[in-house]
Amino acid sequence: MWWCWQGEAQDLFRRLDDNLWEELYHNPVAMLGRIDQSRLAAVAADEGFLAHLDRVHGNLREYMSKPGWWSSEYGEAREPQVAYFCAEYGIAESLPIYSGGLGVLAGDHLKSASELGVPLVGVGLLYQQGYFRQRLNADGWQLELFPRNDFQNMSVQLMLGDDGQAITIQVDYPNRKVLARIWRIQVGRVPLYLLDTNVPPNSPEDRQITAQLYGGDQEMRIRQEIMLGIGGVRALRAMNLHPKAYHMNEGHSAFLSLERIRLLMADAGISFVEARQAVVASTIYTTHTPVPAGNDAFEPWLIDRYFEHYWPQLGLAREQFLALARQEPANADEPMNLTVLALRLSSFRNGVSSLHGTVSRKLWHNVWPSLPMAEVPIAHITNGIHTRTWLSHDMAELFDRYLGPRWHERPASEEIWQRVVHIPDTELWRTHERRRERLVAFARQRMRDQCSKRGASQSELRAADEVLDPEALTIGFARRFATYKRANLILADPERLKKLLGNESHRVQIIFAGKAHPRDNPGKDLIRQIVHSSRSPEFRRSLVFLEDYDMNVARYLVQGVDVWLNTPLRPMEASGTSGMKAAANGALNVSIPDGWWDEGFSPDVGWLIGSGETYDDLEYQNRVESQALYDLLEKEIVPLFYGRGPDGLPREWISRMRQTIQKLAPRFSTNRMVRQYAEMAYAPAAKRWDRLTADGLAAAKELASWTGRVTAGFGGIRIDSISDNVNGSCSVGHPIEVKANIHLGDLRPEDVKVQLCFGLLDPDGQLNCSTYLDMQWTGQADGQSNQAYAAEMVCTVTGTTGYTVRVMPTHGDLIDSRDMNIVRWA
């Protein structure tokens, strides 16, 4: 799949047969099967084509053989070190096994892992129908079509054993075993393995498990997630692959940790708690959902049906098993939440933007009730994009000239992107104008096709050829049509919008695209509203909705628009990546300060709609923020775009384009993101796995024994006294000595760490623990069985300051004291 982010490789396929390439949706396997043999014979004798072919093939060989960043940092890996699990992958439009942002991010993650040489394998499901194709009826209501994928004409390869037969795995379901075969997609240097249950030995019902992405009811969802998590682990073992670190991208694959524990117990003859230490230490979990309803949860009766045979293999009783995935372990009515299961059975957890990290800590605080919310152990790694995949060929050629031909090897280097200042205004603007012209041509053809499919009249077909203006300010809005994304916010004031879009001297136009989930009728109604608006006489030429949003449509949009619009309800957008793609192509963002834009915004790269305020009255909030959006468009965005100099160039707009590319392209790259995962999660997790599993899992066994002893004895800890040497008040910078006498009961000083927590008091007299200091053990307290601890704190700001003391467990192999969720506060 290397070709799908290489412009010259794509040009090679286009050169064979441009019309067939477009007709078959950029699928090289299908095209090579359909192309006329006489055409192949002709190009085989064409020196120009053969030279092009040799050049592309040489680039591929160089790419595959070049050592990556990982080997320079961590040494050459002989086998995969990391397994990356996700329910969907958006690699190219010719592989329709993705629905939206999560899958596209996963595809970009694999591409950057390939470029960095991270020894990673992907694991997922190969869907027979994938996500639906979208059609709109005459009323603008979304209809769903489910064409079947022909794996024989896709870039997938069936995995065969030494006997030439398909490698298969079995997974237990109620009263039966379900078989799955394994397919491989080679994403550059990274293999992606996908499971497929559509095989003859399975019942018709079980062949449907991998039929549709996010299709069916809760029971189908649990079947898919069992196959992804448990089946995925078994598939790796069946191919004799043994990664050390496992990354769950969203909670769909959370059952994988249970299967890893089960296998380790069976292989090494150890207990659940011992195996759990090694598995948790080597597992990474990324959450993408900032609302409780978006996290998969299954009622106990459904868990009983699918796992009553499974928990005995873990040595657990039913309630112990269910408690692993409940925020309140003893609550018998609480469903089994896969996000909670993933949080409990991982050691590195993260949200996908800084704001989402904060939201996630608040959302899942009850999993760590003994900790302050700010200390909940969920970090953040902000999402990014694979720049080469989303950058227009024209812009990539411009970067080759002015950033150097190797810029794409270091897309996260800020030093390289500083060279954007050398691109002349004229070249940058003309390159962007060509992309806008292509977007308009693409949109007109799409509109004509849409009209034709629903039997439109000749006059409607002619009107489709006249929509949009290739020189007008073009705004793009394209994403999943969920109600919280508020696609209709810009339609809130029709009269004001009419003036904005009807100004003939300063033309403004808006292109919408996106799909609503098949069961999301409110989302479908948003699409219908937009379609109806686009058909009104005043908006007919300047507002369009493009059907069947996918990676191909997305590329045209992010490469051709001038402004990318994003209007979610804050803080419900975990990250968002479409705006990053537009920014890499020089488009300016105008967005609610949510997700990535909350940290990416600065006045020279785009605009904020509001300042992040939230209101109890949603209608009022929509009204306030829609008016703020109109104000920005009327007073700042439109005048800036049409502020032309004598040469016809919008110099100030071009300056902002340049700042956007220069500042945002390196920061919001998946190469930066994957490096962060490697440094913060993958390499440490692999190292912990080696440490805990060495010598017959000696360290894991010792840690499990210590954990049991400390957990049992922690209730005996008592903080008897705390004292300081302050008499009333003291000065900033003056060291304050704090002493504590602590009764440890059956525990030893080396089992715990004692921390001094201090900070300013809020107006209600509550302590904000902004600083933590480890207190030093100074021996046994005089005449008592207590242990004495001391520390010096230095206050750096004035104000009423408070402090307290806490005791937490500590051990050399314990990753984070917070994970045990036992704290004794003074």
Side-chain angles (χ1 to χ4, degrees), residues 305-366:
R305 175 179 296 175
Y306 283 88
F307 284 93
E308 63 179 356
H309 69 283
Y310 196 87
W311 59 68
Q313 299 177 58
L314 298 173
L316 298 179
R318 174 182 182 273
E319 289 306 314
Q320 290 175 304
F321 184 79
L322 290 169
L324 289 170
R326 287 171 167 165
Q327 294 194 62
E328 299 177 31
N331 182 354
D333 296 325
E334 186 178 336
M336 190 171 190
N337 189 303
L338 291 202
T339 297
V340 176
L341 181 66
L343 290 169
R344 286 225 172 92
L345 296 182
S346 57
S347 57
F348 182 88
R349 317 157 190 93
N350 69 284
V352 290
S353 68
S354 178
L355 179 61
H356 182 231
T358 301
V359 170
S360 298
R361 288 188 287 275
K362 182 177 181 180
L363 191 60
W364 304 110
H365 184 209
N366 286 344

Side-chain angles (χ1 to χ4, degrees), residues 131-151:
Y131 208 51
F132 67 90
R133 302 294 299 269
Q134 181 193 53
R135 291 290 179 269
L136 304 182
N137 67 13
D139 188 44
W141 190 258
Q142 173 182 290
L143 306 175
E144 295 89 31
L145 306 175
F146 293 92
R148 292 171 64 84
N149 288 325
D150 179 6
F151 300 154

Side-chain angles (χ1 to χ4, degrees), residues 140-297:
W141 190 258
Q142 173 182 290
L143 306 175
E144 295 89 31
L145 306 175
F146 293 92
R148 292 171 64 84
N149 288 325
D150 179 6
F151 300 154
Q152 305 303 327
N153 278 306
M154 293 168 57
S155 302
V156 298
Q157 179 184 3
L158 186 64
M159 295 302 295
L160 304 177
D162 294 337
D163 58 359
Q165 300 300 307
I167 300 174
T168 60
I169 55 105
Q170 287 186 337
V171 178
D172 294 318
Y173 284 75
N175 304 314
R176 66 196 189 277
K177 293 183 183 295
V178 176
L179 200 71
R181 56 186 174 177
I182 306 164
W183 299 79
R184 171 173 171 154
I185 298 172
Q186 191 65 33
V187 186
R189 293 189 274 196
V190 170
L192 168 61
Y193 297 105
L194 303 172
L195 297 174
D196 165 28
T197 65
N198 186 22
V199 292
N202 290 336
S203 68
E205 180 184 31
D206 290 334
R207 293 175 76 161
Q208 293 297 306
I209 290 174
T210 56
Q212 289 182 13
L213 172 60
Y214 305 140
D217 56 12
Q218 279 290 89
E219 190 149 9
M220 179 55 75
R221 179 62 68 92
I222 198 171
R223 289 173 187 166
Q224 290 186 329
E225 294 181 353
I226 288 170
M227 183 57 64
L228 174 62
I230 295 176
V233 171
R234 293 182 185 181
L236 291 174
R237 174 170 281 219
M239 294 181 294
N240 199 30
L241 298 175
H242 304 283
K244 299 175 181 179
Y246 281 70
H247 184 176
M248 299 178 286
N249 193 43
E250 194 55 293
H252 306 116
S253 59
F255 294 131
L256 75 82
S257 290
L258 297 174
E259 179 66 3
R260 293 183 67 208
I261 291 171
R262 187 192 70 81
L263 289 172
L264 201 53
M265 291 172 64
D267 291 346
I270 58 176
S271 68
F272 175 85
V273 292
E274 291 168 336
R276 178 177 177 170
Q277 298 298 334
V279 168
V280 168
S282 57
T283 303
I284 297 102
Y285 169 55
T286 299
T287 175
H288 291 262
T289 310
V291 290
N295 296 270
D296 284 337

Side-chain angles (χ1 to χ4, degrees), residues 47-64:
E47 290 186 5
F49 183 89
L50 294 178
H52 188 172
L53 174 60
D54 285 343
R55 188 166 61 252
V56 171
H57 190 213
N59 291 340
L60 173 59
R61 287 200 308 271
E62 180 188 6
Y63 176 88
M64 295 298 287

